[in-house]
């Protein structure tokens, strides 16, 4: 009985998480494609605050997954969430380079993208404790677009290996210029006070990780040997 209750609570929390995740992306589409009034922008900002609060609470109180059924649900949620996350990031990059972009909307999109990155990262982290997922390596990249010349160097190295390993390397972009309490929680937890920095597995590495060292860091975290690691 207790296990069934926990399972139902887990499914409820997971569904709520997916709904709010989708809400954040949907709001981004609305803001990107309509002329927003001041009030609409305030409403969008409030929705982001609500998203942030739920994300922080979920991070601290996320329920255990201990069943085959739960793992199937988790796999499906992760697959869909990764597609949403990838699409949202590409749309953000395009929007920032477009002539229609304005600072208010850029700040909104950047915060939305940051929250979605963190959401997926800890959902994946939790799922891997209980479920056998695709053999992949998550890398969380902390960077600043202000006064950080090494950040672009690290970004190029990470994108290089992202192209090589494709979906087996999950790259999460955390722009610390974006004001977001959830990002500060992670900075404090891992003791990050300089940039660039990465979290790979459970390890934090500060400073630029060069091409060969990055390859070694990625390859040693796969469960099975990958052909690209011997190339």
């Amino acid at each position: 009985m207790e296990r069934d209750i926990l399972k139902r609570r887990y499914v409820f929390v997971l569904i709520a998480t997916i709904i709010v995740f989708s809400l954040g992306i949907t709001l981004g589409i609305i803001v990107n494609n309509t002329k927003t009034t001041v009030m609409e922008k305030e409403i969008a900002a409030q929705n982001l605050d609500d998203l942030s609060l739920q994300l922080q609470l979920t991070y601290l109180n996320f329920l255990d997954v201990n069943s085959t059924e739960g793992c199937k649900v988790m796999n499906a949620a992760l697959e869909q969430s990764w597609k949403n996350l990838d699409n949202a990031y590409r749309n953000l990059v395009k929007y920032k380079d477009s002539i229609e972009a304005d600072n208010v909307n850029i700040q909104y999109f950047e915060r939305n993208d940051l929250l979605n990155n963190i959401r997926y990262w800890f959902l994946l982290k939790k799922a891997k404790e209980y479920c056998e997922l695709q053999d992949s390596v998550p890398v969380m990249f902390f960077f600043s677009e202000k006064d950080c010349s090494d950040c672009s160097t690290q970004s190029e190295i990470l994108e290089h290996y992202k192209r090589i390993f494709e979906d087996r390397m999950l790259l999460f972009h955390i722009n610390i210029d974006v004001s977001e309490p959830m990002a500060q929680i992670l900075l404090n937890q891992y003791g990050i006070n300089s940039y660039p920095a990465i979290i790979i597995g459970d390890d934090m590495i500060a400073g630029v990780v060069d091409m060969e060292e990055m390859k070694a860091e990625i390859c040693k975290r796969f469960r099975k040997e990958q052909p690209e690691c011997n190339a």
Side-chain angles (χ1 to χ4, degrees):
M1 174 68 73
E2 183 178 354
R3 182 174 179 177
D4 290 340
I5 293 174
L6 284 175
K7 186 185 296 184
R8 288 196 296 270
R9 289 176 62 197
Y10 161 69
V11 172
F12 173 79
V13 171
L14 180 59
I15 292 173
T17 300
I18 294 172
I19 290 173
V20 177
F21 187 108
S22 301
L23 175 61
I25 294 175
T26 303
L27 285 169
I29 294 172
I30 293 172
V31 173
N32 191 29
N33 291 284
T34 63
K35 294 182 178 180
T36 57
T37 65
V38 173
M39 182 59 69
E40 288 172 329
K41 290 178 180 178
E42 290 177 352
I43 292 173
Q46 182 61 56
N47 276 306
L48 275 178
D49 288 339
D50 293 341
L51 174 61
S52 176
L53 178 58
Q54 177 164 346
L55 181 57
Q56 293 172 64
L57 291 174
T58 305
Y59 184 78
L60 298 173
N61 298 288
F62 205 83
L63 298 178
D64 289 345
V65 182
N66 55 11
S67 67
T68 301
E69 179 183 349
C71 287
K72 289 181 180 179
V73 174
M74 182 67 75
N75 267 301
L78 287 170
E79 181 179 352
Q80 185 59 51
S81 294
W82 180 251
K83 291 178 181 178
N84 290 342
L85 185 67
D86 190 48
N87 288 335
Y89 181 72
R90 289 202 306 268
N91 288 336
L92 170 62
V93 173
K94 290 179 181 178
Y95 181 74
K96 289 175 70 175
D97 292 336
S98 70
I99 59 174
E100 293 85 7
D102 66 74
N103 289 334
V104 174
N105 282 346
I106 287 175
Q107 290 173 8
Y108 170 83
F109 275 116
E110 287 180 330
R111 190 178 178 203
N112 188 65
D113 181 70
L114 185 148
L115 287 167
N116 285 337
N117 269 268
I118 297 174
R119 178 190 299 278
Y120 187 92
W121 174 79
F122 79 70
L123 187 61
L124 177 67
K125 186 178 178 69
K126 192 67 177 178
K128 281 192 169 186
E129 294 178 8
Y130 299 92
C131 305
E132 185 173 343
L133 305 176
Q134 176 186 356
D135 196 4
S136 61
V137 177
V139 180
M140 184 170 278
F141 174 41
F142 293 82
F143 67 96
S144 170
E145 295 178 341
K146 302 174 182 177
D147 301 322
C148 181
S149 58
D150 288 341
C151 288
S152 59
T153 300
Q154 188 69 88
S155 178
E156 291 173 3
I157 293 172
L158 290 168
E159 292 294 344
H160 169 77
Y161 284 113
K162 174 64 179 171
R163 289 190 294 271
I164 291 175
F165 292 108
E166 298 179 326
D167 287 345
R168 288 166 293 159
M169 175 185 167
L170 306 180
L171 180 58
F172 303 92
H173 300 82
I174 307 297
N175 184 350
I176 58 90
D177 299 330
V178 178
S179 178
E180 170 49 48
M182 189 61 215
Q184 191 60 50
I185 289 176
L186 291 176
L187 294 176
N188 293 339
Q189 178 183 352
Y190 287 94
I192 298 173
N193 51 32
S194 63
Y195 313 99
I198 65 170
I199 297 173
I200 180 167
D202 289 322
D203 300 324
M204 190 278 286
I205 305 175
V208 176
V209 182
D210 65 30
M211 195 72 75
E212 290 302 315
E213 185 181 358
M214 181 64 72
K215 181 179 179 180
E217 290 289 343
I218 295 170
C219 288
K220 72 182 183 183
R221 288 174 170 80
F222 285 113
R223 294 194 304 269
K224 298 180 180 179
E225 186 173 337
Q226 304 295 311
E228 294 88 347
C229 294
N230 297 320

